[in-house]
């Protein structure tokens, strides 16, 4: 399964080169956050999560595992390194998130 095939589409933002990801993650409070090289990546590296202790061996997840987290209703952020793009899934307010992206 591809993330683009999910029924709930993400909010997508292009971030600036000096984007403060740490400050943004602290403010946005995602349940899961991942980093990938490109939109077509099949491996997602966990960068921040509320379940670090329980899932410490699952640092690299597949597309299917990430899709399951999104379908379960978890707030998921995915940062694509080469395109400087940020996808946000299951967030209730797009404009509140946009304000945070602009701030950081």
């Amino acid at each position: 399964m591809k993330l683009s095939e999910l029924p709930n589409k993400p909010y997508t933002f292009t971030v600036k080169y000096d984007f403060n990801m740490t400050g943004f993650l602290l403010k946005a409070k995602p349940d899961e956050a991942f980093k990938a090289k490109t939109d077509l990546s099949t491996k997602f590296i966990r960068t921040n999560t509320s379940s670090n202790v329980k899932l410490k061996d699952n640092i690299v997840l597949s597309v299917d595992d990430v899709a399951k987290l999104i379908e379960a209703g978890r707030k998921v952020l995915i940062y694509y390194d080469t395109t400087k793009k940020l996808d946000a899934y299951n967030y209730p307010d797009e404009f509140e998130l946009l304000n945070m992206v602009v701030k950081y």
Side-chain angles (χ1 to χ4, degrees):
M1 170 183 277
K2 294 181 182 177
L3 295 180
S4 60
E5 296 172 352
L6 290 172
N8 49 344
K9 299 296 179 200
Y11 301 133
T12 301
F13 308 99
T14 302
V15 297
K16 58 187 178 181
Y17 178 73
D18 59 346
F19 184 69
N20 180 357
M21 183 60 82
T22 303
F24 176 76
L25 289 174
L26 289 172
K27 188 72 171 173
K29 296 183 177 123
D31 295 324
E32 311 289 340
F34 300 97
K35 180 176 165 182
K37 287 190 179 197
T38 67
D39 296 351
L40 302 174
S41 293
T42 57
K43 294 183 180 180
F44 294 86
I45 300 168
R46 188 184 304 269
T47 58
N48 181 35
T49 180
S50 60
S51 54
N52 265 342
V53 176
K54 291 184 280 185
L55 300 174
K56 69 178 183 173
D57 293 335
N58 296 333
I59 301 300
V60 178
L61 296 179
S62 69
V63 174
D64 291 335
D65 292 334
V66 174
K68 287 177 188 175
L69 290 170
I70 294 168
E71 289 173 339
R74 310 256 312 154
K75 290 182 185 176
V76 176
L77 291 173
I78 302 173
Y79 175 69
Y80 298 100
D81 199 29
T82 56
T83 58
K84 302 294 184 212
K85 190 175 89 170
L86 182 71
D87 283 351
Y89 293 87
N90 299 322
Y91 275 86
D93 188 4
E94 179 180 11
F95 291 108
E96 181 182 338
L97 203 57
L98 175 62
N99 287 334
M100 282 189 261
V101 169
V102 170
K103 180 179 177 183
Y104 291 98

